[in-house]
Coordinates of all heavy atoms in Angstrom, one line a residue:
A169 N -18.2 -52.9 -77.9 CA -18.6 -51.7 -78.5 C -17.4 -51.0 -79.2 O -16.4 -50.8 -78.5 CB -19.2 -50.8 -77.5
D170 N -17.4 -50.7 -80.5 CA -16.3 -50.1 -81.2 C -16.7 -48.8 -81.7 O -17.4 -48.7 -82.7 CB -15.8 -51.0 -82.3 CG -14.5 -50.5 -82.9 OD1 -13.7 -49.8 -82.2 OD2 -14.2 -50.9 -84.0
A171 N -16.3 -47.7 -81.0 CA -16.6 -46.4 -81.4 C -15.4 -45.5 -81.1 O -14.5 -45.8 -80.3 CB -17.8 -45.9 -80.7
P172 N -15.4 -44.3 -81.7 CA -14.3 -43.3 -81.4 C -14.2 -43.0 -79.9 O -15.3 -43.0 -79.2 CB -14.6 -42.1 -82.2 CG -15.6 -42.5 -83.2 CD -16.3 -43.7 -82.6
L173 N -13.1 -42.6 -79.4 CA -12.9 -42.1 -78.0 C -13.9 -41.0 -77.8 O -14.0 -40.0 -78.6 CB -11.5 -41.6 -77.8 CG -11.1 -41.2 -76.4 CD1 -11.1 -42.4 -75.5 CD2 -9.7 -40.6 -76.4
P174 N -14.7 -41.1 -76.8 CA -15.7 -40.0 -76.5 C -15.1 -38.7 -76.2 O -14.0 -38.6 -75.6 CB -16.5 -40.5 -75.3 CG -15.7 -41.7 -74.7 CD -14.7 -42.1 -75.8
T175 N -15.6 -37.6 -76.8 CA -15.0 -36.3 -76.6 C -15.0 -35.9 -75.1 O -14.2 -35.1 -74.8 CB -15.8 -35.3 -77.4 OG1 -17.2 -35.3 -77.1 CG2 -15.6 -35.5 -78.9
K176 N -15.9 -36.5 -74.3 CA -15.8 -36.1 -72.9 C -14.6 -36.5 -72.2 O -14.2 -36.0 -71.2 CB -17.1 -36.6 -72.1 CG -17.1 -38.1 -72.0 CD -18.4 -38.5 -71.3 CE -18.4 -40.0 -71.1 NZ -19.6 -40.5 -70.5
A177 N -13.8 -37.5 -72.8 CA -12.6 -37.9 -72.3 C -11.5 -37.0 -72.6 O -10.4 -37.0 -72.0 CB -12.2 -39.3 -72.8
L178 N -11.7 -36.1 -73.6 CA -10.7 -35.1 -74.0 C -11.1 -33.8 -73.4 O -12.1 -33.2 -73.6 CB -10.8 -35.0 -75.6 CG -9.8 -34.0 -76.2 CD1 -8.3 -34.5 -76.0 CD2 -10.0 -33.9 -77.7
E179 N -10.2 -33.4 -72.4 CA -10.5 -32.2 -71.6 C -9.6 -31.1 -72.0 O -8.4 -31.3 -72.0 CB -10.4 -32.5 -70.1 CG -11.3 -33.7 -69.7 CD -11.0 -34.1 -68.3 OE1 -10.2 -33.4 -67.6 OE2 -11.6 -35.1 -67.8
A180 N -10.1 -29.9 -72.3 CA -9.3 -28.8 -72.5 C -8.8 -28.2 -71.1 O -9.5 -28.3 -70.1 CB -10.0 -27.7 -73.3
E181 N -7.6 -27.7 -71.1 CA -7.2 -27.0 -69.9 C -8.0 -25.8 -69.6 O -8.4 -25.1 -70.5 CB -5.7 -26.7 -70.0 CG -4.8 -27.9 -69.9 CD -3.3 -27.5 -70.0 OE1 -3.0 -26.3 -69.7 OE2 -2.5 -28.3 -70.3
P182 N -8.2 -25.5 -68.3 CA -8.9 -24.3 -68.0 C -8.3 -23.0 -68.6 O -7.1 -22.9 -68.6 CB -8.9 -24.2 -66.5 CG -8.6 -25.6 -66.1 CD -7.8 -26.2 -67.2

Side-chain angles (χ1 to χ4, degrees):
D170 190 23
L173 186 64
T175 55
K176 67 181 180 181
L178 183 64
E179 302 173 5
E181 287 183 18

